[in-house]
Amino acid sequence: QDRRSDLGSPTVAEPRPSSAVGWRWPRAHSPSPPRHAAMPHIPLAEPPGFKRSPILDDARTRYFVITSSQGENVVKSVQHNVWATQRKNEQPFTDAFRTASTVVLIFAVNKSGAFQGYARMRSFPGQSTCRSDPFRGFGRLFDIEWLRLQDLPLAEVQSLRNPLDDNRQVGTSRDGQELARSVGAEVCRQIDIRVFREDPEGYEPIT
């Protein structure tokens, strides 16, 4: 059984999100980079002038990986500020939302070879304020706020392993997998650095 989510949806127009910082069109079904013997990728160092996002330094922030079979679902999520997850993920998300200061969701489109960005939960599953269901009943909706939309190639974080998932590489995480705080924060920090490098003047730390 596929460990990842399987939301299906038709193509939609490009969104113009107001809450997303560092907009990047999510890739759908693009081929993964070829595997070959090469030197391990070294995560980007913080460039001069870069400021860390306080949300990532908060010890009470929790991180989960969200996977989707289609990039169009990420587009719909950005348009509606909402997501729907598999039933098995609802209780862990509910527990985290109840106890954590912030629940960060790190998105990856299957076979894209990258993470596409991250968002934070804004409601419990089943308590969305969205009046329509862009995912056609796949699961109970919950509100999210997109924080970053920026590709982070999985190869760039292949050295990161998740102790909450038998020390597997973060790029192989299943849908709904929680990341250790240090690992989740580093993935998000790498996304932040890429946003900063592309637009230093427009970059703002996430609080």
Side-chain angles (χ1 to χ4, degrees):
Q1 184 179 357
D2 190 355
R3 302 172 74 198
R4 299 179 182 268
S5 63
D6 191 27
L7 290 170
S9 59
T11 302
V12 295
E14 178 178 351
R16 291 289 185 268
S18 59
S19 61
V21 179
W23 165 253
R24 182 68 92 140
W25 183 256
R27 298 180 294 176
H29 300 299
S30 59
S32 299
R35 295 183 179 181
H36 51 81
M39 293 295 292
H41 289 269
I42 300 175
L44 293 177
E46 295 180 1
F50 174 81
K51 295 181 179 180
R52 290 192 177 191
S53 294
I55 189 178
L56 307 182
D57 290 330
D58 185 346
R60 294 183 60 210
T61 298
R62 292 175 67 177
Y63 302 85
F64 294 85
V65 171
I66 297 290
T67 65
S68 175
S69 63
Q70 298 183 24
E72 288 86 351
N73 295 317
V74 177
V75 175
K76 286 190 171 186
S77 176
V78 173
Q79 288 178 319
H80 298 277
N81 292 312
V82 72
W83 190 249
T85 190
Q86 302 179 71
R87 181 71 66 171
K88 69 180 182 64
N89 295 331
E90 289 185 2
Q91 193 59 52
F93 288 0
T94 295
D95 293 343
F97 189 71
R98 179 178 293 116
T99 60
S101 59
T102 304
V103 177
V104 170
L105 307 176
I106 303 172
F107 282 74
V109 176
N110 290 356
K111 301 181 182 179
S112 67
F115 290 113
Q116 275 71 46
Y118 64 91
R120 67 175 137 207
M121 286 185 66
R122 284 299 195 188
S123 79
F124 289 105
Q127 296 184 18
S128 172
T129 59
C130 187
R131 295 183 178 181
S132 61
D133 182 357
F135 306 121
R136 300 181 179 181
F138 173 80
R140 294 198 299 169
L141 301 178
F142 59 93
D143 294 335
I144 67 173
E145 175 192 2
W146 276 93
L147 303 175
R148 304 285 193 210
L149 280 163
Q150 173 76 32
D151 279 354
L152 171 62
L154 299 182
E156 298 296 323
V157 289
Q158 64 182 358
S159 63
L160 291 179
R161 294 182 175 272
N162 182 20
L164 301 184
D165 189 24
D166 296 327
N167 251 16
R168 294 186 176 92
Q169 293 181 339
V170 294
T172 65
S173 299
R174 65 187 182 275
D175 183 54
Q177 174 63 53
E178 183 169 7
L179 301 180
R181 190 183 73 82
S182 60
V183 176
E186 179 61 17
V187 171
C188 293
R189 188 179 71 92
Q190 288 295 312
I191 292 173
D192 282 3
I193 290 174
R194 280 160 177 76
V195 172
F196 177 85
R197 284 162 62 105
E198 289 196 2
D199 184 13
E201 296 298 323
Y203 172 84
E204 295 181 5
I206 303 297
T207 58

